[in-house]
Amino acid sequence: MSRKKSDRFALSRALSNVLESGKPLYETIKGKWNEIMFEKQQPIVLELGCGKGEYTVGLAQVFPEKNFIGIDIKGDRIAVGAKFANENSLSNVAFLRTKIHQLLDFFEKDEISEIWITFPDPQPLKSGIKRRLTNPRFLELYKEILQNDGLLHLKTDSELLFDYTLEVLPSFGVEELVYTKDLYNSELNVRHYGIKTRFEQIFTEKGYNINYLSAKFKHIS
């Protein structure tokens, strides 16, 4: 492991806006995020597979009236976003180091108002379908923790992943599904908010279109 990566892991362990295994709140935070981690009781938004947290902190700056949690398993990446949030006094930002399939260990039913999935690994091989973050096993988790009017967002350069997601979503009875395969030249570009991750910058410079969708899960009352 490089010295730089080692220092970031140490920083992740030290920062108070990062929850990871071994920290006191890691096993008791479920259902208490607004009560314990944030200064204000506000709607909670997740970014899954957040990497260095560019979208997490970007959205937090655009929407101070919401609380944001970036989730990733790689502590050295999380440390970058967490440090930026601290240095810029973003009290509406936190990070959680865990795997996405463990979401129910950290969030109660209906605790989340929105979920963003930004440029995830498309897992193009057939053997990787179960690891796609819009696979039904993951969508079931999102449906469980999202509020009745909660939004799921997906941004990706991968047309394969995007088409796969559009095929899978109807089986969940989603409503208010909107999408575009060319976000920057669409009326939905207002949802871009001027935020570009490093990967998004790379993809757009290479001429790739950005795919975007949002939808709500139907909940049986």
Side-chain angles (χ1 to χ4, degrees):
M1 182 187 299
S2 69
R3 175 62 182 274
K4 186 175 183 180
K5 181 176 286 189
S6 178
D7 287 346
R8 285 180 177 174
F9 274 116
L11 180 61
S12 175
R13 289 191 294 270
L15 290 169
S16 61
N17 60 351
V18 177
L19 280 191
E20 59 181 29
S21 181
K23 291 191 175 183
L25 296 177
Y26 186 75
E27 296 181 358
T28 60
I29 193 67
K30 183 175 180 177
K32 301 176 182 177
W33 285 90
N34 264 332
E35 177 185 340
I36 297 175
M37 281 298 287
F38 297 111
E39 291 183 358
K40 297 179 181 179
Q41 301 273 328
Q42 302 184 140
I44 298 174
V45 182
L46 305 184
E47 184 196 0
L48 305 182
C50 69
K52 295 180 180 180
E54 297 142 302
Y55 231 84
T56 300
V57 298
L59 288 171
Q61 291 172 307
V62 175
F63 298 103
E65 72 278 11
K66 298 179 182 180
N67 292 328
F68 293 85
I69 304 170
I71 300 177
D72 205 292
I73 193 59
K74 298 187 176 180
D76 60 318
R77 294 181 181 179
I78 283 177
V80 176
K83 182 173 183 262
F84 180 92
N86 272 0
E87 291 175 345
N88 289 273
S89 301
L90 296 176
S91 60
N92 62 331
V93 173
F95 290 88
L96 172 64
R97 187 182 176 194
T98 192
K99 295 180 179 179
I100 305 303
H101 70 259
Q102 295 177 305
L103 283 178
L104 297 187
D105 292 337
F106 299 95
F107 301 100
E108 292 280 7
K109 180 178 174 62
D110 302 332
E111 189 172 6
I112 304 304
S113 67
E114 291 179 65
I115 291 175
W116 281 84
I117 306 173
T118 54
F119 300 94
D121 186 338
Q123 300 289 346
L125 300 180
K126 187 175 181 180
S127 59
I129 289 176
K130 288 187 177 180
R131 294 192 294 275
R132 292 175 183 169
L133 290 187
T134 54
N135 182 275
R137 74 181 183 124
F138 288 112
L139 293 176
E140 289 285 0
L141 301 180
Y142 310 156
K143 185 175 181 179
E144 179 72 13
I145 63 176
L146 275 170
Q147 297 165 359
N148 286 345
D149 60 346
L151 273 175
L152 174 69
H153 306 264
L154 170 66
K155 278 183 78 176
T156 177
D157 68 299
S158 170
E159 192 163 349
L160 180 148
L161 176 64
F162 197 70
D163 288 343
Y164 168 82
T165 305
L166 290 175
E167 290 175 7
V168 170
L169 281 175
S171 64
F172 286 82
V174 295
E175 54 189 3
E176 298 183 38
L177 171 64
V178 295
Y179 67 92
T180 175
K181 291 190 173 183
D182 188 4
L183 178 62
Y184 297 158
N185 293 305
S186 161
E187 62 183 13
L188 293 176
N189 191 41
V190 294
R191 301 192 185 188
H192 173 55
Y193 306 119
I195 305 167
K196 278 190 178 181
T197 67
R198 180 173 65 88
F199 287 115
E200 186 171 357
Q201 187 70 43
I202 292 171
F203 297 142
T204 54
E205 287 177 356
K206 290 183 177 180
Y208 288 92
N209 286 343
I210 302 303
N211 305 280
Y212 167 82
L213 67 78
S214 71
K216 294 181 179 181
F217 294 106
K218 285 184 180 179
H219 291 256
I220 300 174
S221 56

